[in-house]
Amino acid sequence: MRYDALPDEAVELYGSYFSQIAIRESSVVMRQVRKELVSAVESMFGRKPRVVTAKPKKGPLVLLATADDPELAGLAEIGRLKDLPRDGYIICRTEQESGGCIVAAGNSDAGVLYAAFHLLRLLQTEQGLDGLPVAEGSPNKLRMINQWDNMDGSIERGYAGQSIFYRHDKIVRDMTRIRDYARLLASVGINAISINNVNVHRTETKLIAAEWLPSVAKIADVFRGYGVKLFLSVNFASPIEIGGLQTADPLDKQVQRWWKERAEDIYRYIPDFGGFLVKADSEFRPGPFTYGRDHADGANMLADALEPFGGIVIWRCFVYNCQQDWRDRKTDRARAAYDHFLPLDGKFRDNVILQIKNGPMDFQVREPVSPLFGGLKQTNQMLELQITQEYTGQQKHVCYLVPQWKEIVGFDTYAAGEGSTVAKAVSGELNRLPLGGMAAVSNIGDDANWTGHPLAQANLYGYGRLSWNPQLTAEQITDEWVKLTFGDDPDVTETVSGMLLRSWSIYESYTAPLGVGWMVNPGHHYGPNVDGYEYSKWGTYHFADSRGIGVDRTTKTGTGYAGQYNEPVASLYGSPGTCPDELLLFFHHVPYTHRLKSGSTVIQHIYDTHFEGVVQAEQLKREWLTLEGKIDPSVFRETAERLDMQIESAVEWRDRINTYFYRMSGIPDERGRTIF
Ligand code: BDP
């Protein structure tokens, strides 16, 4: 959204079209389309366009309209809109006698907005308009952001400053930053946001009460202009905490009535309110289990309250026992989501969506994909990703997650034979379900650059683009972001793209090996601590001893988790001979001398990747330094500083992990490098 001045050639080619814009401001969204386009055109072409509400007799011009607009009558291309989803659009060029016209038409106002952003992106990445016509629509009905913001201004797992929504237990008055956020989310196709932490504490519980609803409505007004629906995370125990009731039992008539009244209140203030996001019976949060009810009882009760208004319930599947006995090798946290939710398949109302974390544990650098995606057949589902880098370097390390997310959405669940990808399961296509999509935990705060690490912006951008179109490749998304952010100097684009695309695998190489996860400091989760989570109650173990390491999750001798997958995946993961190297220790307990498919032993792999990881982190820094003078000086400096922190931390990871496993196994490094 820099809208830098275009090169003369582009101004020459397209300037005349963009001298006139025809748009009817029939809604708040269309007003924002007009504003966005006018300011972008002014800044890119160096002059303000003339704005008209009806197509003038003579062109050239840019015409933006919804499908039903009479101005579009007779345009052949427009017919294609009916095959696209509600937020779909087409952009085409017509050359008429009266002059050329670029048409950006959407099935809805939001579609026109996305078309406008698409058009601007083409100009800014200097792709020009030769690729027109384009016709796009997203398979995902919901493309959502979850803020984990608290009203005191802090952000759970936030690494980029304080909340832009709250300060000192109040909603901010100045909404400028929120408006900018809405713009940037809409520019990549996001259409829903929940604005408070899934851990809903006392203060935030009141967001659904009359005291706060007028202010929440103001935030909703801002997002509405950009086609983004507002959701709130709710506390399942609200009827007790703020309703004065004795119980929150979902089958209790008073409780049901209480929630219905809350829904009525909310919709009075926010007529297009999206609905509730719920974390229940998880990590000390209240839920239906307290009353001997299941999660379908809980979700359906809220769904019934919202249904008359078109609202939905997004119910999280991150439900597990966080107080389990670490001495019990059979209890497996990885099994929990599937064990809890699969038996409830088909029992949820149509306006309930289950939101499932990408993996069975918790956003580790490497996990298998949750087997629930391939298990649920009759329940709306949504994929939950984490943009904020809780376990992936906390925005001090560069760790570009789009390649990880691509693997996740492309994972084949075999639920209905080959090709049953997670992307198809969550869009609803696989099981012909009405609702679905993707959600991700935001990585922004009030830092001037939004994300702390300047390169972490690529994760937010990438998530939006991928949730709009899961078919885009990581390379395409990266190329777009780098060009939009830094311009198109090939030295810069090649270097930054290369750094981003390798960064996840570099981070993985110096952290927990072979999918075992969890070797982080407890609590804050930054930096190495091999046994930090080993003897605690969180269900997060690696079982390393002097002979071997890894968690036996096979059906024969282990926890049985591998059996939650459909065939052939269950068998693939179920045997150490076929299990992919990168997930070996997630599924199997093996001796240090076990030979990987790569040819290396487990212990030698640990040494090699940890030495090499530091070399690679240093290489990232060297590459970045070659860009001095070609990048905005403050961005250059901030990134260089963070790369130094990354190297320092990678060295610590290398030394701790290598030393630990050298001492545990007593096996020296084949290459004789120094291990302490
Ligand atoms: C974990 C976080 C914790 C969240 C929890 C969740 O450590 O702060 O509350 O996930 O997703 O990753 O509910």
Side-chain angles (χ1 to χ4, degrees), residues 148 156-157 197-199 279 282-283 316 318 333 357 362-363 384 386 390-391 441 518 523 525:
W148 282 1
E156 175 132 0
R157 312 306 176 184
N197 189 357
V198 287
N199 298 314
K279 171 176 181 176
S282 167
E283 300 181 331
R316 297 179 82 226
F318 186 58
R333 168 167 166 180
K357 284 196 187 190
D362 191 12
F363 302 133
E384 177 177 324
Q386 195 182 42
E390 176 178 1
Y391 295 97
V441 185
W518 293 110
H525 301 162

Side-chain angles (χ1 to χ4, degrees), residues 353-372:
I353 305 180
L354 294 185
Q355 182 167 307
I356 308 165
K357 284 196 187 190
N358 62 271
M361 297 300 276
D362 191 12
F363 302 133
Q364 301 302 290
V365 65
R366 174 77 66 175
E367 286 187 46
V369 169
S370 170
L372 256 184

Side-chain angles (χ1 to χ4, degrees), residues 20-46:
Q20 252 190 130
I21 293 175
I23 182 167
R24 237 190 287 277
E25 279 185 29
S26 45
S27 69
V28 285
V29 175
M30 292 299 270
R31 185 177 322 144
Q32 298 305 343
V33 176
R34 197 247 318 141
K35 275 173 78 177
E36 192 70 35
L37 213 69
V38 168
S39 81
V41 167
E42 195 175 357
S43 128
M44 291 194 295
F45 290 93

